[in-house]
Amino acid sequence: MSVTLDILGVGARGDGIAELDGQRYFVPFTLPGETVEARPRDKRGEGIATDLLAVLAPSRHRVAPPCAHFRVCGGCALQHWRRDAYAAWKVELIARALEQRGVDALRFEPPLVGAPGERRRADFVLRRQGARVVAGFHERASPLIVDIGTCIVARPSLNALLEPLRARLAAILPDGAAADAIVNETDSGLDLLVRPHRRLDLSLERRETLVALAEHADVARLSWGDRASAEPVVVRRQPLLLFGGVGIEPPPGAFLQATQRAEQAMRAMVSEWTGDAPRLADLFAGLGALSFGRAGKLALFESDRQAVASVDAAARRLVGGKVTAERRDLFRNPLMAAELDAFDAVLLDPPRAGAAAQSAELARAKVPRVVYGSCDPGSFARDARALQDGGYRLEKLLPVDQFLWSPHVELIALFARTPLRSPRH
């Protein structure tokens, strides 16, 4: 049985929201103002998930999706939305989250909107099916894999890796076996980590096949296994990331900002907003992408052992000992207010869960400026309210769309305890 629905808006997951007879419905691939026919499928939260059958009255903001895999591939949800309306919706996600938490916000900076072909990181899924290997991404809400020809979101170098992966992994994976291919485009070439879903030992023949893959696809480094215990099988060039002119050698499968353009924009905001602060703490620092290379003293805090080792190795190559890296679980052991007061500015860029415990300590501290990078408006708004209750004001906010055509939006924001001294700061 199908229902005819009027789409009222688009929710945080990217699905259209409709209401009929007191019941809420979630309809994928729809836009505000549209009338659609949908088939109810199952209960989801406070509503019912549906399958879209037909768009009876399309929005003027509807456009033709540019990718042939759209609606099947689970990677994109919003390719059918005109760019300006799509960008405004992502900004509204942030504004709505702040309003719900009662956070006072000034006018946002113009958003940085993603563009096709600039994602420099991908997690491809591979599965051997008979004599061939399928390579791509999971279907929407399914364990099945979409065999991708070209992902229009990804960098050309990542797309060029798909065929070599299919050809070479057919000789390594047993029939039915699967693996993830986590690939980062670094400043010295592709860094590839192949992670089998089940334990698979590497024979000499399999190693030789991986070496041939790296040679054929011009991979800088190819590693095998889980990220925590990955074995570099071949290193043709050491992967290198340049942050503020400082070279960092990342561990296999390292977390990177999804696009270099977004990383550079956020680095610029950190530089502008922290100004000449002589002492900066970078919390949830990762590899220091947003802070490494700045003037003054820099203290990085990160829980990932491999990331800390990479940052520490780079710091030891610098003159003057101005950079330190400490391994610390900031969820369980946040920097306390007294520790934070040793710094002139604090930068934090936590995972999606946010930084509730650390924000509570920041609210008690006297640090003049806090720069907060976030990949989740909800957890950001919660932490922003804690900072506001502690006496900080949200002075500036830049929305960042790194995950093009997805429902995810990121941001970087400045909180200050005292009035900004100049328009630059």
Side-chain angles (χ1 to χ4, degrees):
M1 183 183 72
S2 66
V3 291
T4 299
L5 300 169
D6 294 323
I7 304 301
L8 305 176
V10 175
R13 293 191 184 186
D15 293 339
I17 298 176
E19 293 184 358
L20 181 65
D21 297 331
Q23 180 65 62
R24 175 167 289 192
Y25 294 87
F26 304 107
V27 191
F29 316 119
T30 58
L31 299 176
E34 293 187 327
T35 300
V36 303
E37 183 181 1
R39 179 187 296 114
R41 190 176 68 249
D42 49 42
K43 183 76 174 176
R44 194 182 87 189
E46 298 179 352
I48 297 175
T50 70
D51 295 320
L52 175 64
L53 299 179
V55 178
L56 305 178
S59 165
R60 62 187 178 88
H61 294 148
R62 178 173 284 274
V63 296
C67 178
H69 303 293
F70 184 62
R71 293 188 61 168
V72 180
C73 176
C76 292
L78 297 162
Q79 289 189 12
H80 58 296
W81 209 348
R82 201 174 74 190
R83 183 182 177 91
D84 56 345
Y86 156 84
W89 172 76
K90 288 212 164 181
V91 173
E92 178 59 26
L93 288 177
I94 301 171
R96 192 185 312 153
L98 292 172
E99 182 180 5
Q100 289 172 348
R101 289 284 183 171
V103 177
D104 299 326
L106 302 178
R107 184 169 57 88
F108 297 170
E109 302 290 322
L112 179 78
V113 182
E118 65 176 2
R119 278 285 301 274
R120 60 175 175 176
R121 175 187 171 92
D123 291 8
F124 296 120
V125 189
L126 314 169
R127 185 181 298 278
R128 170 91 178 271
Q129 295 181 180
R132 63 188 294 268
V133 169
V134 295
F137 304 106
H138 285 295
E139 292 185 8
R140 179 181 170 89
S142 168
L144 299 177
I145 301 171
V146 182
D147 203 26
I148 296 292
T150 298
C151 174
I152 63 173
V153 170
R155 296 274 299 149
S157 63
L158 273 60
N159 279 306
L161 190 59
L162 284 167
E163 280 308 314
L165 282 170
R166 291 187 179 96
R168 302 293 179 173
L169 269 294
I172 293 179
L173 295 176
D175 190 17
D180 298 320
I182 302 167
V183 56
N184 284 328
E185 185 185 68
T186 74
D187 291 288
S188 59
L190 296 181
D191 187 19
L192 171 63
L193 171 62
V194 180
R195 182 176 62 195
H197 290 186
R198 294 183 179 178
R199 181 178 175 83
L200 182 61
D201 292 330
L202 287 180
S203 63
L204 176 60
E205 183 178 2
R206 283 172 173 161
R207 289 178 181 276
E208 290 174 342
T209 300
L210 291 174
V211 171
L213 166 60
E215 292 286 343
H216 176 75
D218 191 27
V219 171
R221 178 177 65 187
L222 191 155
S223 305
W224 178 269
D226 291 331
R227 183 180 176 276
S229 57
E231 175 194 351
V233 176
V234 55
V235 181
R236 301 174 62 246
R237 298 181 300 277
Q238 182 62 47
L240 193 66
L241 299 168
L242 296 176
F243 300 144
V246 178
I248 302 273
E249 298 177 0
F255 168 81
L256 302 184
Q257 296 294 337
T259 75
Q260 190 172 48
R261 185 164 62 96
E263 179 186 283
Q264 291 171 344
M266 289 190 288
R267 276 188 63 90
M269 293 298 96
V270 171
S271 176
E272 179 178 337
W273 293 344
T274 61
D276 55 359
R279 298 165 300 176
L280 174 68
D282 186 350
L283 314 183
F284 306 94
L287 293 170
L290 303 184
S291 63
F292 224 110
R294 72 180 299 276
K297 291 186 177 181
L298 173 64
L300 299 101
F301 299 87
E302 167 61 42
S303 64
D304 184 84
R305 175 180 56 81
Q306 293 177 314
V308 171
S310 292
V311 171
D312 189 58
R316 282 188 272 108
R317 293 193 295 268
L318 299 177
V319 177
K322 292 185 177 181
V323 178
T324 60
E326 178 180 328
R327 188 182 180 196
R328 185 158 173 169
D329 185 341
L330 297 171
F331 291 111
R332 298 182 179 181
N333 185 25
L335 266 70
M336 307 304 285
E339 296 175 278
L340 293 164
D341 286 342
F343 298 98
D344 303 289
V346 168
L347 162 67
L348 68 161
D349 187 11
R352 190 168 300 280
Q358 188 60 78
S359 295
E361 290 301 319
L362 279 165
R364 296 175 53 235
K366 299 176 182 178
V367 183
R369 297 184 184 190
V370 174
V371 179
Y372 192 133
S374 172
C375 58
D376 184 83
S379 61
F380 170 75
R382 177 202 65 208
D383 296 346
R385 180 54 192 261
L387 292 174
Q388 178 176 283
D389 289 346
Y392 285 94
R393 292 186 310 278
L394 177 55
E395 297 278 359
K396 295 178 181 292
L397 189 149
L398 171 69
V400 179
D401 178 26
Q402 288 202 72
F403 296 94
L404 181 64
W405 294 317
S406 83
H408 302 298
V409 62
E410 304 193 21
L411 62 93
I412 190 162
L414 169 65
F415 294 86
R417 277 204 179 278
T418 57
L420 300 183
R421 291 191 298 271
S422 70
R424 175 176 175 77
H425 298 137

